[in-house]
Amino acid sequence: MLKSLLQRLGQTVFVLFGISVMVFLVFFATPGADPTARIAGKNASPATIAKVRQEYGFDRPLPVQYATMMKKLFITQDLTSYANRGEKVVPEIIKAAPVTLSLATGGAVIWVVVSILMGTVAAAFRGTWVDRTLMAIGLVGVSIPVFWLGQVANLITQARYHDTWLFSWVPPLGYVPFSESPVGWFKALLISWCTLSVLFIGVYARVLRSDLVTVSGEDFMRTARAKGLSPSRVLLVHGLRTSMITFVSLFGMDFAQLIGGGALLTEVVFGLQGVGRLTYQALSSLDLPFIMASVMYSAVFVVLANALVDVVYLFLDPRVRDGR
Amino acid sequence: MAGDAPLLDVRDLSVSFRSGGRDVPIIENVSFAVCEREILGIVGESGSGKSVTAMAIMRLIDDPGVTLRGSVRFRGQELTTLPQKAFRTIRGREIAMIFQDPMTAFTPVYTVGWQIDEAIRVHERLSKAEARARTVRLLGDMGVPDPERTANRYPHQLSGGLRQRAMIAMALSCNPALLIADEPTTALDVTVQAQILDLLRNLRTDYGSAVMLITHDMGVVAETCDHVMVLYSGRVAERGPAAAIFSQPAHPYTAALLDSIPPLTGPRPTRLPSIAGAPPAPLERPPGCAFAPRCHYAHAACDILPPLVRCAEQEVACVLPGEGKALPPRMTERVEA
Ligand SMILES: Nc1ncnc2c1ncn2[C@@H]1O[C@H](COP(=O)(O)OP(=O)(O)OP(=O)(O)O)[C@@H](O)[C@H]1O
Ligand code: SF4
Ligand SMILES: [Mg+2]
């Protein structure tokens, strides 16, 4: 167990290093393009260019450049955007991270709970109208575009029915830090959580249902029934528990992807200044330090979230624990 | 209850599945009985309906298109009409079952001991510690080395033989009167197979359990069973005391099966005689004797389904004994040669 954990940790470090090198090479070692000019921005004065070259060590060998870059990104965190009047970019990202983390985590809680309920109930009643109705709802969830759903949710909760008792509690768009007011944080995010989770509920409920149906044909399910267990115990304790393995590996990918900026559309619709939105802004402003920093940090978030899920996975599946 | 009333009495059990708009009969009018502490072997080629018979008795077939007819009485109680909830007190407690593939028969995410504890605690009010104590004792009885540690291991960490022993321990955990073993040794190698059969043979004295042993191997039957039922294409071909059937099979199919047992001693023949052809698929089953297409003795009278008739000590579904042309006794020397 401990060995597997350490192994996983080592892997994470290695992957992080690999990604950082790759991102660095893509941005700064592309032949024929001088990164100095791109960092300095359009129409930069020769003085600025000279300063940038010196600051990033572009006149020195690549490994030194890499080290300088990593230092500026993660240690001194003073990577500066020249295009944007000397704004420090890393604090910007650090500020965006909790927003995205809150959004993704809250959404994940909802989608995990609801999809497990839906998938399990559908599997238990498979072939009946309950099953068909739930799966049809899931399909609708999968097909609704997030930005449209978000707009509609906003329209209802912010404008049309905002003055009714049902939605008068909904605060204006934007983020409220948890440390400032946990209740405010919850209220500010609830609608966006629900919106974000709809798609995933649809996907996960369907995946879980089909997984449970497949599992119910397995030998060990027959053994469990032959022992005299009740159908619900067979389904939950033996079937669902085993299906959680697939569920979690799927969850790992989706959650990591959201943390790394995949919740862009939801963030935009609900006015949340998260990692996805930041990356999008960086890309559209062609601001190299900004892009570099957001890409690097997103990658770090994704890798960390993935590692976390893998640890959960390790707890769920004894076979993986033994390195099989 | 009378001492010789059978423990399990199966009468005219038929199972069919709905497929492509029609009912496909898988087993037809299968009748047999298992007495207390008896070992009954059910033999037949792959697809002959052995597993379906066992699953039907346990009411474990959850296919929505299944139709079950006939009667299954366990200690005089009719099982086919018993509500599922009441049946659960019988499953695992009165009638336990073990399956062919020990590799996949345990839930992979729980330890073996946990799963045996669960089987005990679902039927008896015992604390976790009491259940575990019994689990460890059972594993020890089944010849599992270091049972305490083995109980805490996951199925994938055990060898096939150990897993099957653990499976039998789980099946015996509530001291069932009947154990249904569906090809318990097929997935194991020969030495382990012999050990497991030994274990099953001793159950009647150690646990007082009767065993319904499903196999396609006449050799296994010869070593283990008191009574035999031979199934062919979902119908009973022959049934009776093992000794009688082995010395004088009355059904050509049984005789052919016996000829295909490899000798226990002496040089192994390079090729065992096998029965040419394959059993008919359920839908192509002839209205008469299902074995006719492969039978050397087939003749016109075989076109009408032969009923089970008594012939010496056994009962056989073949027209030959009635025509006074019973098969000759087996030359056992040939096996020993
Ligand atoms: N759920 C089902 N639906 C339709 N047909 C089935 C179903 N289960 C079994 N059958 C059919 O019933 C027949 C008998 O199957 P069964 O598993 O009882 O054979 P068996 O004698 O146990 O063979 P084996 O030695 O391979 O285990 C097969 O032809 C099989 O295709
Ligand atoms: S009934 Fe006829 S075909 Fe069937 S086994 Fe007997 S002799 Fe052969
Ligand atoms: Mg079978």
Side-chain angles (χ1 to χ4, degrees):
Chain A
M1 184 78 187
L2 192 67
K3 190 169 146 251
S4 304
L5 278 176
L6 288 177
Q7 225 169 18
R8 190 65 191 81
L9 188 75
Q11 240 175 45
T12 309
V13 171
F14 182 78
V15 168
L16 281 175
F17 175 73
I19 289 181
S20 67
V21 169
M22 235 163 66
V23 171
F24 171 79
L25 288 180
V26 166
F27 282 116
F28 297 102
T30 328
D34 180 10
T36 319
R38 286 196 288 155
I39 287 185
K42 273 180 242 140
N43 313 323
S45 66
T48 317
I49 292 186
K51 182 162 169 279
V52 168
R53 177 161 293 134
Q54 204 268 325
E55 189 182 342
Y56 289 87
F58 284 135
D59 42 6
R60 304 174 60 191
L62 271 180
V64 179
Q65 290 181 29
Y66 170 79
T68 316
M69 197 65 202
M70 288 305 124
K71 192 182 109 227
K72 290 178 92 53
L73 266 173
F74 293 108
I75 299 166
T76 53
Q77 303 185 344
D78 59 353
L79 200 62
T80 315
S81 159
Y82 284 87
N84 211 348
R85 296 172 303 281
E87 196 185 340
K88 295 255 192 305
V89 293
V90 175
E92 199 78 1
I93 294 171
I94 304 266
K95 218 166 71 208
V99 180
T100 297
L101 195 64
S102 302
L103 176 66
T105 311
V109 168
I110 296 179
W111 102 58
V112 166
V113 170
V114 177
S115 63
I116 288 182
L117 275 176
M118 266 173 71
T120 313
V121 171
F125 291 93
R126 92 166 178 261
T128 66
W129 64 269
V130 179
D131 178 19
R132 281 190 288 274
T133 313
L134 285 176
M135 287 305 104
I137 294 174
L139 196 60
V140 171
V142 173
S143 342
I144 297 180
V146 173
F147 58 89
W148 180 84
L149 185 66
Q151 294 288 16
V152 171
N154 276 341
L155 187 71
I156 293 173
T157 61
Q158 299 286 343
R160 196 64 61 80
Y161 296 100
H162 185 68
D163 297 328
T164 64
W165 59 271
L166 199 56
F167 294 118
S168 53
W169 56 269
V170 180
L173 295 183
Y175 178 72
V176 178
F178 184 80
S179 52
E180 215 166 85
S181 150
V183 177
W185 171 82
F186 185 82
K187 282 183 182 169
L189 287 167
L190 187 58
I191 302 289
S192 56
W193 286 340
C194 294
T195 308
L196 179 67
S197 58
V198 164
L199 163 75
F200 293 104
I201 289 174
V203 175
Y204 281 64
R206 293 178 72 84
V207 168
L208 182 62
R209 178 201 173 269
S210 76
D211 226 50
L212 278 171
V213 168
T214 315
V215 155
S216 71
E218 295 278 345
D219 286 358
F220 63 80
M221 294 292 274
R222 192 180 53 185
T223 307
R225 284 193 296 147
K227 287 202 286 198
L229 304 181
S230 66
S232 56
R233 186 169 171 103
V234 173
L235 181 71
L236 297 179
V237 176
H238 290 265
L240 185 59
R241 173 63 178 74
T242 311
S243 297
M244 279 331 273
I245 296 172
T246 337
F247 191 90
V248 164
S249 44
L250 194 64
F251 177 82
M253 288 192 286
D254 282 327
F255 187 70
Q257 179 264 114
L258 285 181
I259 294 287
L264 169 67
L265 291 177
T266 316
E267 286 173 1
V268 171
V269 174
F270 290 99
L272 301 168
Q273 189 62 17
V275 175
R277 201 163 160 197
L278 210 66
T279 311
Y280 176 72
Q281 282 166 356
L283 285 171
S284 43
S285 66
L286 288 176
D287 187 348
L288 196 58
F290 205 174
I291 298 175
M292 170 85 190
S294 54
V295 168
M296 263 321 292
Y297 270 87
S298 304
V300 171
F301 293 148
V302 170
V303 172
L304 287 183
N306 243 324
L308 196 73
V309 168
D310 274 5
V311 172
V312 175
Y313 197 80
L314 223 54
F315 277 98
L316 278 179
D317 192 346
R319 289 163 295 187
V320 180
R321 235 175 281 164
D322 292 350
R324 271 248 216 143
Chain B
M1 198 186 304
D4 54 353
L7 180 69
L8 181 79
D9 192 2
V10 178
R11 295 252 172 96
D12 293 326
L13 185 66
S14 302
V15 177
S16 54
F17 290 104
R18 195 140 194 92
S19 149
R22 50 202 292 198
D23 273 332
V24 183
I26 301 297
I27 58 171
E28 294 174 41
N29 299 318
V30 170
S31 304
F32 62 95
V34 186
C35 297
E36 301 260 5
R37 293 166 195 249
E38 180 189 83
I39 302 183
L40 169 75
I42 298 184
V43 205
E45 280 165 291
S46 191
S48 54
K50 307 180 296 288
S51 299
V52 168
T53 308
M55 298 288 277
I57 293 170
M58 286 290 263
R59 295 251 307 270
L60 283 175
I61 306 176
D62 58 356
D63 197 300
V66 71
T67 326
L68 239 152
R69 266 172 295 114
S71 138
V72 177
R73 284 180 175 270
F74 178 76
R75 288 195 163 135
Q77 185 182 23
E78 180 60 53
L79 295 186
T80 47
T81 50
L82 201 63
Q84 279 289 352
K85 202 165 167 120
F87 205 117
R88 289 211 300 273
T89 60
I90 290 179
R91 244 183 237 144
R93 193 234 246 333
E94 304 283 350
I95 309 180
M97 192 159 178
I98 56 179
F99 301 96
Q100 172 169 348
D101 193 353
M103 299 299 159
T104 52
F106 278 109
T107 307
V109 295
Y110 299 114
T111 62
V112 169
W114 187 95
Q115 299 185 50
I116 304 179
D117 295 350
E118 187 189 33
I120 298 172
R121 276 158 56 88
V122 70
H123 294 297
E124 291 175 41
R125 297 183 148 269
L126 287 184
S127 73
K128 280 202 171 115
E130 288 167 323
R132 179 48 64 97
R134 189 193 293 181
T135 299
V136 169
R137 199 197 65 214
L138 280 164
L139 285 172
D141 285 356
M142 294 306 120
V144 171
D146 199 356
E148 248 149 286
R149 254 195 53 208
T150 309
N152 284 323
R153 314 202 70 182
Y154 289 93
H156 73 269
Q157 296 170 323
L158 304 179
S159 68
L162 276 186
R163 263 188 255 187
Q164 197 59 293
R165 281 169 200 268
M167 202 65 210
I168 299 176
M170 182 154 88
L172 294 177
S173 60
C174 294
N175 229 330
L178 175 66
L179 176 69
I180 300 179
D182 190 351
E183 310 209 22
T185 57
T186 310
L188 306 175
D189 62 49
V190 185
T191 42
V192 185
Q193 185 171 338
Q195 293 164 358
I196 298 286
L197 287 178
D198 229 31
L199 208 59
L200 290 176
R201 232 186 335 256
N202 292 331
L203 288 185
R204 65 173 120 201
T205 45
D206 299 350
Y207 288 82
S209 308
V211 179
M212 199 174 119
L213 179 64
I214 296 176
T215 174
H216 54 243
D217 184 346
M218 268 291 187
V220 168
V221 177
E223 284 172 53
T224 331
C225 302
D226 309 315
H227 279 78
V228 189
M229 173 168 78
V230 180
L231 281 183
Y232 186 79
S233 188
R235 297 171 184 159
V236 179
E238 181 167 9
R239 63 162 199 246
I245 287 185
F246 276 88
S247 61
Q248 187 163 12
H251 197 287
Y253 177 60
T254 318
L257 276 183
L258 288 174
D259 283 340
S260 61
I261 307 179
L264 294 173
T265 51
R268 287 187 158 238
T270 44
R271 230 185 115 254
L272 285 168
S274 62
I275 313 165
L283 272 178
E284 288 142 26
R285 212 172 276 162
C289 176
F291 189 56
R294 299 164 82 187
C295 183
H296 293 306
Y297 307 93
H299 55 289
C302 307
D303 293 343
I304 301 159
L305 186 62
L308 264 186
V309 292
R310 180 153 286 278
C311 165
E313 286 181 69
Q314 62 261 47
E315 283 167 293
V316 60
C318 173
V319 295
L320 293 179
E323 296 170 347
K325 290 184 275 186
L327 295 179
R330 233 156 59 89
M331 293 175 293
T332 39
E333 305 83 62
R334 232 180 60 212
V335 174
E336 270 134 39

